[in-house]
Amino acid sequence: MMVSNAQLHTDYVGLEAVDRFLAAQLCQSLGSQCAVMQHLIMALSKALRNGHSCLPLADIAGQTYWSTTGETGTGIAPVPGYTFAAVGVLMDSAQSYPITAGHAAPLVLENARLYLRRYWHYEQQVAQHLLQRMQSHQLSKQQQVKASDVLLQLFEEPLEAQINWQAQAVQEALVRQVSVISGGPGTGKTYTVARLLVSLQAVNDTSLTIAMAAPTGKAKQRLVESINFAKSQLLKQGIDKALIDSIPDTAHTLHGLLGLRPNSYSAKHHKGNPLPIDLLLVDEVSMVDLPMMARLLDALPEHCKLVLVGDAEQLPSVAAGSVLADIPSAAISYLHKSHRFEGQGGIGLLANCVMHNQAEKSWQVLLTNKDLSLILEEEFQIWLEQMCDQYFLPMLKAKTLDEAFICLTQFRILAATRQGEMGVEGLNEQVERLLSRRSSQVRLGQNYHGKPVMVTKNHHGLGLFNGDIGIVWAAENGQLNVCFLQSQEVRKVNVGLLQDLETVYAMTIHKTQGSEFQHVALVVAPQAERLLSSQLLYTAVTRAKMTCSIKVSQSVWCKAVSNKTQRWSGLRALLSR
């Protein structure tokens, strides 16, 4: 089936200009005027924008893309979209072009999956590196003795009927070059990792050079704070100070670790100039996308041990890939017991139901547990006023910055979307209007004393990064600074130096990954339904330590819990060989 250039610009619903452009360019490079191939490439482009690394032909066969039924009475004609043929037809069309792995075309067709060649290459790189490093090795007899001694010091003997998952994770990691530790909130990931680093240092014949990293500046800062707290615990426990001191008290962003510059593809560290380290710990791995993981693994020296830590049930990376979720279960050490929710029930039980896509059961849990509450539509405005009085007004009236930071960690409103009355922007505006009636210092759309804000761009020179949260605070002379709490120290930056600030009484669920608050309120707008998934709800609910309030209809909630987003990828199959 041939296609004209005019047909390349069919006004499909949701089709982006970049999808049409990519299809036109690649079809031209292949010498193709085939409508099937053109639409496959447009669908591949859409898939990449949605975080997939490839397009499985079997998954789109028979599916209709870019359609709408129109709206009665609007005069808008329905758009029929494009229905993909059966998988055999799609395969025949794709196989008629030189796009196998052995060709040099910008597309690759492998195992009935269509890739842009660079993403196929990323998957191959990651799989090759991980498979090489995942082979276990035996400790020498001397190392086994050292390991037994240090594990006895680090962990209490478990009761016969219980498994100490943390001790087991450390024990398994001692014989692996790559260790993957996954667990939900409160399962003690940092507690475990600090003891793993000590154990690896103790059994190694020579001193290890250790580095720590995380995907974002905010995650890096949390990692440093958690590890330093764990180090203080180890010191009280009587662990050798030299071993504890070998664990760094600083960390890097992944970009900083590799020496990647803004708006540049070149890095200081790569295969030809590997990182000068023996052990790398990477936290919040669920946020690491496929291209970044490929770069990172490429920059590790052959002998380097790698410890990957994260929650496989959380949202995957913003960009393409779901590396942590793609690693086979047999290669991961899971921490099953949550110490945070022990004795509470509700939040932990709700998170577990959501994680296992138990829609009706999760709804009943939401209705029947005291640490959970459902916010009804007709009660929302009264509820929001109460939250302003209980949490936000005290932050504005705080006498000291310390008091204001304590208020900041007490409560946060989370939303799935940015736009709309119940999106982040609308909710922040509603909160500020309510606060302006209670405090004359609140000026709508402006900075004011006590206002919580988030940095939305990286400021490398200032050491501030996208996602960092601070409080606007007035000095004695009235000058406004934004104050950030970093490693228990306050950093003050003149508000004029930070033009890209957002109000954060409410924030998106994505931006809260890794954060914790005593009380979380999740506001789910009906128009956000298409964006919702069990991973999104799980991430939101598990930000709460003590109380979780949720504004949502039963139908939207149940549909979202039932929707487990699976990213298209060939990495899991490669790693399972």
Side-chain angles (χ1 to χ4, degrees):
M1 181 179 177
M2 309 302 283
V3 63
S4 69
N5 285 336
Q7 287 174 293
L8 281 173
H9 300 283
T10 302
D11 191 22
Y12 290 146
V13 174
L15 182 69
E16 300 286 342
V18 66
D19 305 333
R20 292 195 297 267
F21 177 79
L22 185 66
Q25 292 295 307
L26 295 187
C27 282
Q28 185 178 2
S29 74
L30 293 171
S32 168
Q33 288 189 315
C34 171
V36 175
M37 199 63 193
Q38 172 213 327
H39 285 88
L40 283 175
I41 296 170
M42 290 194 299
L44 172 60
S45 180
K46 177 183 176 180
L48 289 170
R49 288 191 287 105
N50 289 332
H52 305 284
S53 59
C54 62
L55 183 72
L57 301 191
D59 283 49
I60 65 160
Q63 298 295 313
T64 300
Y65 273 41
W66 310 298
S67 68
T68 179
T69 56
E71 293 183 25
T72 306
T74 63
I76 300 171
V79 178
Y82 179 85
T83 301
F84 286 94
V87 67
V89 176
L90 299 182
M91 283 293 293
D92 288 344
S93 295
Q95 286 175 333
S96 66
Y97 297 95
I99 57 172
T100 66
H103 290 102
L107 292 171
V108 173
L109 179 68
E110 186 172 82
N111 296 323
R113 298 184 185 97
L114 187 65
Y115 291 86
L116 283 187
R117 180 165 290 273
R118 67 175 179 271
Y119 285 93
W120 172 83
H121 187 62
Y122 290 143
E123 279 195 358
Q124 296 294 318
Q125 270 185 291
V126 170
Q128 183 181 357
H129 279 295
L130 289 179
L131 285 171
Q132 284 176 351
R133 294 169 183 271
M134 278 177 169
Q135 304 303 317
S136 61
H137 60 272
Q138 291 298 315
L139 298 178
S140 68
K141 286 186 178 180
Q142 186 179 6
Q143 287 177 320
Q144 287 176 23
V145 171
K146 287 181 181 177
S148 296
D149 289 344
V150 75
L151 286 170
L152 277 173
Q153 276 187 286
L154 290 169
F155 297 99
E156 295 178 2
E157 283 290 335
L159 297 174
E160 270 186 40
Q162 294 181 328
I163 298 174
N164 189 326
W165 298 106
Q166 297 164 336
Q168 184 169 304
V170 172
Q171 200 161 13
E172 290 172 353
L174 290 177
V175 295
R176 292 177 177 172
Q177 195 177 1
V178 173
S179 309
V180 186
I181 297 175
S182 179
T187 52
K189 292 190 292 291
T190 309
Y191 176 96
T192 304
V193 165
R195 281 151 182 78
L196 172 56
L197 297 182
V198 164
S199 301
L200 287 169
Q201 191 71 269
V203 302
N204 208 62
D205 297 328
T206 57
S207 181
L208 296 170
T209 301
I210 302 172
M212 304 191 305
T216 65
K218 184 170 68 170
K220 175 196 79 170
Q221 195 59 42
R222 287 194 307 269
L223 172 61
V224 169
E225 291 167 1
S226 300
I227 286 289
N228 285 340
F229 177 73
K231 286 170 70 174
S232 68
Q233 288 180 314
L234 289 169
L235 196 60
K236 291 175 184 175
Q237 206 171 326
I239 304 301
D240 182 358
K241 189 174 185 298
L243 288 177
I244 298 170
D245 288 344
S246 72
I247 303 174
D249 51 16
T250 59
H252 309 265
T253 62
L254 292 176
H255 281 80
L257 179 75
L258 296 176
L260 279 162
R261 296 297 172 197
N263 306 316
S264 171
Y265 287 102
S266 61
K268 178 182 177 182
H269 294 290
H270 44 77
K271 190 173 183 178
N273 181 34
L275 291 158
I277 57 175
D278 306 307
L279 171 58
L280 175 64
L281 163 66
V282 183
D283 196 19
E284 297 288 1
V285 179
S286 64
M287 298 168 69
V288 181
D289 58 54
L290 179 66
M292 176 56 78
M293 184 59 76
R295 280 181 173 274
L296 180 67
L297 293 171
D298 206 40
L300 292 183
E302 283 188 18
H303 72 280
C304 187
K305 292 180 180 292
L306 177 64
V307 180
L308 302 175
V309 185
D311 185 350
E313 300 298 334
Q314 277 199 42
L315 287 164
S317 57
V318 174
S322 51
V323 178
L324 181 58
D326 282 341
I327 295 174
S329 298
I332 301 177
S333 296
Y334 289 95
L335 305 178
H336 295 280
K337 184 178 179 181
S338 176
H339 302 275
R340 181 193 299 177
F341 302 128
E342 213 169 11
Q344 271 181 265
I347 296 172
L349 186 56
L350 182 64
N352 192 60
C353 290
V354 170
M355 184 172 67
H356 291 97
N357 307 104
Q358 298 169 325
E360 291 300 331
K361 184 177 178 181
S362 69
W363 183 255
Q364 291 307 311
V365 169
L366 172 56
L367 296 179
T368 56
N369 281 269
K370 62 182 180 181
D371 53 345
L372 301 168
S373 62
L374 180 66
I375 308 165
L376 300 176
E377 177 71 37
E378 60 271 21
E379 297 172 355
F380 178 72
Q381 286 303 321
I382 294 172
W383 173 88
L384 189 61
E385 290 188 28
Q386 290 172 344
M387 294 302 103
C388 287
D389 291 340
Q390 186 176 346
Y391 292 111
F392 296 141
L393 202 57
M395 184 160 57
L396 297 176
K397 293 182 174 180
K399 292 183 171 58
T400 67
L401 195 51
D402 285 345
E403 286 179 25
F405 275 120
I406 290 170
C407 293
L408 187 63
T409 63
Q410 294 300 301
F411 177 66
R412 196 64 47 87
I413 302 172
L414 310 188
T417 57
R418 294 190 56 79
Q419 283 78 40
E421 187 183 11
M422 293 298 160
V424 166
E425 292 171 0
L427 288 165
N428 277 318
E429 186 177 329
Q430 289 183 66
V431 168
E432 282 202 321
R433 288 194 183 283
L434 288 171
L435 290 174
S436 67
R437 298 171 195 163
R438 291 158 165 78
S439 172
S440 58
Q441 73 194 53
V442 176
R443 300 186 298 277
L444 299 179
Q446 298 181 45
N447 290 313
Y448 49 84
H449 179 82
K451 179 179 181 175
V453 292
M454 179 170 60
V455 177
T456 58
K457 285 189 178 179
N458 292 337
H459 296 268
H460 294 275
L462 296 172
L464 294 172
F465 301 91
N466 184 3
D468 284 348
I469 291 176
I471 299 174
V472 177
W473 202 256
E476 289 184 8
N477 62 1
Q479 176 182 296
L480 291 178
N481 296 307
V482 184
C483 298
F484 301 89
L485 191 60
Q486 298 180 339
S487 298
Q488 305 305 311
E489 293 182 2
V490 174
R491 288 202 57 215
K492 294 183 179 181
V493 179
N494 188 292
V495 74
L497 299 175
L498 298 170
Q499 298 302 314
D500 304 293
L501 293 174
E502 281 185 0
T503 311
V504 285
Y505 296 109
M507 58 196 296
T508 62
I509 298 166
H510 278 85
K511 286 287 189 181
T512 62
Q513 279 189 271
S515 299
E516 298 174 357
F517 308 97
Q518 296 297 316
H519 182 181
V520 158
L522 170 59
V523 176
V524 182
Q527 63 267 30
E529 187 174 319
R530 64 184 181 84
L531 303 172
L532 299 176
S533 66
S534 59
Q535 292 100 319
L536 193 75
L537 297 185
Y538 172 87
T539 302
V541 168
T542 54
R543 300 311 92 207
K545 294 177 75 173
M546 298 296 294
T547 309
C548 184
S549 307
I550 302 176
K551 179 186 183 294
V552 67
S553 69
Q554 184 176 356
S555 60
V556 170
W557 174 267
C558 289
K559 189 172 180 180
V561 173
S562 301
N563 177 31
K564 191 175 186 74
T565 302
Q566 298 288 348
R567 285 200 166 170
W568 291 330
S569 162
L571 182 59
R572 176 174 284 272
L574 290 171
L575 292 174
S576 301
R577 290 188 305 199

